Amino acid sequence: QVQLVESGGGLVQPGESLKLSCAASGSLFIFYGMAWYRGQQRELVATVNMGDAIKYGDAVKGRFTVSRDNAENVVNLHMNNLKPEDTDVYYCNAFTRAGKNYWGQGTQVTVSS
């Protein structure tokens, strides 16, 4: 059974940085893509596909950087210059070329002074 486990959430002050990591276990194959979303509406934060095609949500462009270790089914999210409006639950997502999706439980990020 595939499981996605997120780590790295927490409380930071505005302008600070935080790194989120997500590791997939139980998969016998490398996912076509991995991504980060946030909130109940699942707002796109960043996605990276095989071949390193990367897309960012408009709200985080220029501040967040996504990276992926394909061999290990690991995806990281480096978040810089965090703002209070970045406060949310961040969810890791992994998907196959056929469109099957897997989700992590979510990790809380709080940006507050």
Side-chain angles (χ1 to χ4, degrees):
Q1 182 176 351
V2 175
Q3 285 189 316
L4 302 180
V5 179
E6 302 107 334
S7 61
L11 171 65
V12 295
Q13 295 188 349
E16 292 186 339
S17 300
L18 203 60
K19 176 187 172 184
L20 304 182
S21 294
C22 172
S25 62
S27 174
L28 299 179
F29 53 87
I30 301 298
F31 288 107
Y32 177 71
M34 299 187 77
W36 290 95
Y37 290 80
R38 64 188 185 187
Q40 289 188 344
Q41 301 300 319
R42 293 297 195 269
E43 175 191 4
L44 172 68
V45 176
T47 182
V48 52
N49 296 343
M50 287 286 191
D52 294 329
I54 293 175
K55 180 179 179 181
Y56 293 99
D58 289 340
V60 306
K61 284 180 181 177
R63 299 187 298 122
F64 291 10
T65 302
V66 66
S67 62
R68 181 181 173 184
D69 182 339
N70 289 332
E72 300 293 331
N73 273 337
V74 170
V75 63
N76 299 306
L77 184 68
H78 296 262
M79 304 183 293
N80 297 318
N81 190 23
L82 282 160
K83 304 176 181 180
E85 52 264 42
D86 293 317
T87 296
D88 220 323
V89 178
Y90 285 69
Y91 296 94
C92 178
N93 167 258
F95 54 96
T96 68
R97 188 183 288 271
K100 184 172 178 61
N101 280 278
Y102 300 86
W103 294 92
Q105 293 296 310
T107 184
Q108 177 70 45
V109 172
T110 303
V111 185
S112 175
S113 55

